[in-house]
Amino acid sequence: MLRILLALAVSVSALAQDAKPLAALRLPLTIADVKTPEVKLDFEGDVSPETKAWAEEAAVQVREWWPQVVRMLSTQEFKSPEQFVLHFKKELKVPAYRTPEGLFISIAWITKRPDDFGMVIHEMTHAIQDYRRTPRDAGWLVEGIADYIRYYHYEPESPRPRFDVTKASYRDAYGTTAAFLAWAMHKYDRRLVRELDSALRRNDYTDALFEKITGKTVDVLWAEFIATKKN
Ligand SMILES: [Zn+2]
């Protein structure tokens, strides 16, 4: 009897999976000819051979990953710039940041954390997101998408950033939002990040988009996600 019940339970969960449209089950890519920008390096003052070697490796990562990230986002209308400059500065208040002039990277940081190429991919993703008018309250999502690309595509083998489930929110940005997005994609619809990116590009993102795509509000989704962390 137990076996029959178990078999029933398995087939019911298989049916629930089947209820999703096939398009929700596969990861869509933008199929386009991607022009990868010419990557240039710029150094503040004299730098060590180690810093030069790191910078050259970072340039290789950008050349290899620019087209990959363009394909993962909703970039039908996106035009890559001709040039992309990695500026290496002696000290910054943060490891790195992006402006329309390129990426600014702290030499002090990469000296301490030479394994942090993921930071370059995060900032490079911002250059591809290139949202012209991000709604003021959607910054958490912009950072969450950049970390989703970083942690779930560029370095899926690295440990996930930890967070306190009793205090966390999907609006915490970065690794927490990235983990939430990856979970919601797996559970509900693999088009989610792409649709969110598309709305941010059109400047019409609202939290209601989560419900439109997954059938559940962002707060309900978050509660379900947190419940999986408490088990
Ligand atoms: Zn960022």
Side-chain angles (χ1 to χ4, degrees):
M1 185 62 185
L2 185 60
R3 264 195 208 152
I4 292 167
L5 281 177
L6 275 176
L8 269 176
V10 168
S11 65
V12 167
S13 78
L15 274 177
Q17 286 287 328
D18 289 344
K20 284 193 224 171
L22 287 177
L25 302 176
R26 67 168 183 89
L27 188 68
L29 296 175
T30 301
I31 305 302
D33 276 341
V34 182
K35 194 172 174 305
T36 302
E38 184 189 353
V39 183
K40 298 220 153 174
L41 301 175
D42 166 57
F43 299 100
E44 181 183 26
D46 289 335
V47 297
S48 69
E50 288 77 16
T51 296
K52 276 225 163 90
W54 200 94
E56 274 157 25
E57 191 54 45
V60 170
Q61 298 300 292
V62 169
R63 282 187 208 108
E64 290 180 349
W65 278 81
W66 184 281
Q68 308 297 335
V69 175
V70 168
R71 289 191 181 99
M72 282 172 218
L73 297 176
S74 185
T75 50
Q76 299 83 337
E77 313 286 326
F78 173 74
K79 292 229 176 340
S80 297
E82 293 290 322
Q83 272 192 10
F84 191 63
V85 186
L86 308 183
H87 303 270
F88 287 83
K89 300 287 178 193
K90 287 188 165 53
E91 290 278 354
L92 295 173
K93 289 202 178 79
V94 291
Y97 60 88
R98 178 255 168 180
T99 77
E101 277 70 56
L103 302 194
F104 290 79
I105 297 171
S106 158
I107 294 171
W109 176 261
I110 60 162
T111 304
K112 215 164 48 186
R113 286 287 312 277
D115 61 333
D116 201 8
F117 286 112
M119 161 268 281
V120 175
I121 300 300
H122 173 104
E123 299 300 335
M124 184 198 83
T125 299
H126 285 324
I128 295 167
Q129 289 174 302
D130 197 31
Y131 307 137
R132 296 307 157 113
R133 298 160 308 226
T134 307
R136 222 179 307 148
D137 62 351
W140 60 274
L141 185 56
V142 178
E143 296 302 338
I145 291 174
D147 259 6
Y148 161 77
I149 296 287
R150 170 188 180 155
Y151 289 114
Y152 294 88
H153 291 281
Y154 178 71
E155 49 180 348
E157 74 287 3
S158 73
R160 298 286 78 93
R162 298 179 73 84
F163 57 90
D164 180 347
V165 295
T166 62
K167 295 193 192 123
S169 153
Y170 59 86
R171 291 180 171 266
D172 287 350
Y174 300 103
T176 305
T177 303
F180 173 58
L181 293 174
W183 170 84
M185 286 177 70
H186 174 71
K187 173 108 195 203
Y188 289 101
D189 196 316
R190 299 191 75 200
R191 295 170 292 189
L192 178 62
V193 161
R194 191 184 182 78
E195 292 299 319
L196 296 170
D197 172 65
S198 176
L200 287 164
R201 286 177 197 277
R202 295 189 310 267
N203 194 28
D204 66 0
Y205 168 79
T206 66
D207 288 352
L209 190 53
F210 277 89
E211 188 171 10
K212 192 170 159 215
I213 298 165
T214 67
K216 297 199 174 166
T217 66
V218 68
D219 291 305
V220 169
L221 291 171
W222 176 255
E224 280 186 17
F225 171 64
I226 284 298
T228 69
K229 296 282 166 199
K230 285 179 178 158
N231 290 337

